[in-house]
Amino acid sequence: MSPVIAVATEIPGPKSRAIQTRRAAAVPKGVANSSGIALTHAENAVITDVDGNRLIDFAGGIGVLNAGHRNPALVDAVRAQLDHLTHACFAVSSYESYVAVAERLNQLTPGRHEKRTLLVNTGAEGIENAVKIARYATGRPAIVAFEHAFHGRTNLGMALTAKPMPYKKGFGPFAPEIYRAPYPYCYRCPSAGAQSGCCQAAPGYWERIFAGLVDPGQVAAIVMELEIGEGGFIVADPGSVRALATFARANGILLVIDEIQTGFGRTGKLFACDHYDLVPDLIVTAKSLAGGLPLAAVTGRAELMDAVHVGGLGGTYGGNPLACAAALAIMDVMDKERIADRGRVVGDRIRARFDAMARRFPAIGDVRGLGAMLALELVKDRTTKEPAKELTSRIQAEALKRGLLLLTTGTYGNVIRVLVPLTVEEPVLDEGLDVLEAAFVAATGA
Ligand SMILES: Cc1ncc(COP(=O)(O)O)c(C=O)c1O
């Protein structure tokens, strides 16, 4: 297979820059703009910009495109749906596809108990609704979230999110009754190496944390990402999660797992929960659920989901017919193409390359992630672990110049992450990894 990257102009080229100029005059600058390119076309893991540059996409619309850009099954399903019904408002009239998406999610998500699914538009809205349901069902006000967490940009989403810049600064006051617990970030744990295993898995750890945080009897739910997305692709230690789940059950606290970024094969299993044998009370999904159409879901125990009075949940667009058609098509593709297995295969290939790069580049302090949700944490010095934020941005810029769209992440802005479509062809993946390595060479001078 010949290279897919074709660089026709500098990137961003003149036509992209002209759109950026119009953008700056028409769109608030608060909406980030990490690449500066404007796209005209995309297919699987390849994107084309207005200047005719063809790039490889390791960003996947921030984790939305596990089944690739414009998956043919999605395109056909949405086209067909356009001829029948584009909107009804599910609170007014039902349509079968909403019910079918709910049935599929009830069946696919962890646990064989009876479930219900609510459909909404965005991940943040899914999290908001999970919190509403948890509070209603338990009659308790408090919610525990974690350091490094990201749960969205609504007021409650910001309250649950940890990082001030750029998500929270200047936007307060935030929703009350949110308490923040330490996340098992083993690479940066102060006691790393001082003991075997994660300190958060030790007996009594969570009891001690809650003793100084909030009365467990007041806590409706713990909201958690099992691999933190925007906070740096940090994988929760399984012992810590087990101990936390035991503590939650013992205290009548619901576990809400945010699988918005981790879901649908990204971690090499359908859900990150499957790595932990964890059955959450409520699970929130979005992003790759509908392959680019706006759709999110809260799926949970029937008795919790049904606790809320009629009219307490919903919204004008939630579970829009076009998004439901897309989700059903995407879930079929994921089933047929065994997307979780693809996550594992793609992840193994990237990890082998990352491990080799870590031997070559001393700036790589940590290689981590589950399945294909992989990242490199960059440091100025492997002993001090001082975050190398500027280097991370330079590598991202060098990659873009060479035709690779790449995302960074992390509380300290020093993590390079991969969210390539899991349907990527292997030569395309390898070509993208070659560019990433070339970007490291250019940025580090190694
Ligand atoms: C883990 C996680 N939770 C919540 C959200 C918010 O989703 P949305 O941007 O669809 O509101 C995101 C988005 O990046 C996410 O990664």
Side-chain angles (χ1 to χ4, degrees), residues 48-399:
T48 305
D49 75 9
V50 282
D51 293 288
N53 297 301
R54 213 163 53 226
L55 300 91
I56 292 176
D57 182 9
F58 272 18
I62 318 193
V64 170
L65 298 160
N66 289 1
H69 281 279
R70 293 175 57 253
N71 188 291
L74 175 146
V75 172
D76 289 348
V78 174
R79 265 201 194 119
Q81 184 62 41
L82 278 170
D83 287 335
H84 295 285
L85 182 74
T86 56
H87 181 73
C89 186
F90 198 71
V92 178
S93 307
S94 300
Y95 37 95
E96 196 262 344
S97 55
Y98 185 123
V99 179
V101 171
E103 288 168 347
R104 290 285 283 275
L105 286 171
N106 292 345
Q107 191 248 323
L108 287 176
T109 50
R112 299 277 58 90
H113 50 278
E114 197 180 342
K115 296 176 205 152
R116 303 280 186 267
T117 288
L118 164 74
L119 297 181
V120 291
N121 302 289
T122 65
E125 205 187 340
I127 292 290
E128 291 261 355
N129 278 280
V131 169
K132 277 169 69 172
I133 293 163
R135 283 180 167 152
Y136 199 109
T138 60
R140 300 175 178 190
I143 302 291
V144 171
F146 287 86
E147 293 169 350
H148 309 289
F150 179 82
H151 296 293
R153 293 172 179 274
T154 56
N155 187 268
L156 180 60
M158 289 189 291
L160 293 166
T161 292
K163 190 176 174 180
M165 257 317 263
Y167 306 124
K168 302 172 74 163
K169 187 181 167 215
F171 296 136
F174 303 112
E177 287 299 320
I178 308 292
Y179 299 87
R180 198 160 306 285
Y183 194 83
Y185 187 178
C186 297
Y187 178 65
R188 292 194 177 277
C189 176
S191 63
Q195 58 185 60
S196 67
C198 175
C199 54
Q200 296 194 6
Y205 175 84
W206 288 109
E207 284 76 2
R208 285 194 298 281
I209 290 294
F210 274 76
L213 194 66
V214 55
D215 170 19
Q218 288 296 299
V219 179
I222 293 167
V223 180
M224 185 176 202
E225 299 161 84
L226 292 170
E227 178 168 349
I228 294 254
E230 303 309 300
F233 278 28
I234 311 161
V235 182
D237 175 81
S240 167
V241 173
R242 244 187 329 272
L244 180 66
T246 304
F247 175 83
R249 301 267 182 267
N251 288 280
I253 300 171
L254 303 179
L255 268 183
V256 176
I257 299 299
D258 178 340
E259 292 254 14
I260 289 166
Q261 197 161 154
T262 51
F264 301 103
R266 174 57 50 189
T267 66
K269 295 194 186 267
L270 199 55
F271 297 104
C273 282
D274 301 330
H275 288 277
Y276 294 81
D277 287 329
L278 186 67
V279 177
D281 299 292
L282 302 171
I283 181 169
V284 184
T285 52
K287 292 198 184 266
S288 282
L289 166 63
L293 275 84
L295 189 68
V298 184
T299 302
R301 295 184 178 284
E303 69 276 16
L304 304 173
M305 300 290 292
D306 277 340
V308 178
H309 57 262
V310 172
L313 303 174
T316 303
Y317 295 111
N320 167 271
L322 295 170
C324 285
L328 290 171
I330 287 289
M331 284 191 275
D332 278 345
V333 167
M334 288 183 168
D335 188 30
K336 270 199 217 104
E337 298 187 14
R338 306 176 77 86
I339 202 79
D341 292 345
R342 285 294 307 157
R344 217 157 27 244
V345 169
V346 167
D348 286 349
R349 210 169 174 89
I350 300 171
R351 186 177 274 278
R353 191 64 178 267
F354 277 10
D355 286 341
M357 285 170 63
R359 289 190 290 274
R360 180 173 181 195
F361 302 106
I364 297 176
D366 197 22
V367 176
R368 60 170 177 257
L370 297 168
M373 191 164 170
L374 286 170
L376 301 169
E377 175 154 0
L378 305 189
V379 290
K380 292 184 180 166
D381 179 300
R382 282 187 179 172
T383 311
T384 64
K385 299 183 180 175
E386 191 186 336
K389 182 175 177 190
E390 295 73 25
L391 176 63
T392 308
S393 303
R394 256 197 332 272
I395 290 169
Q396 183 184 31
E398 291 291 346

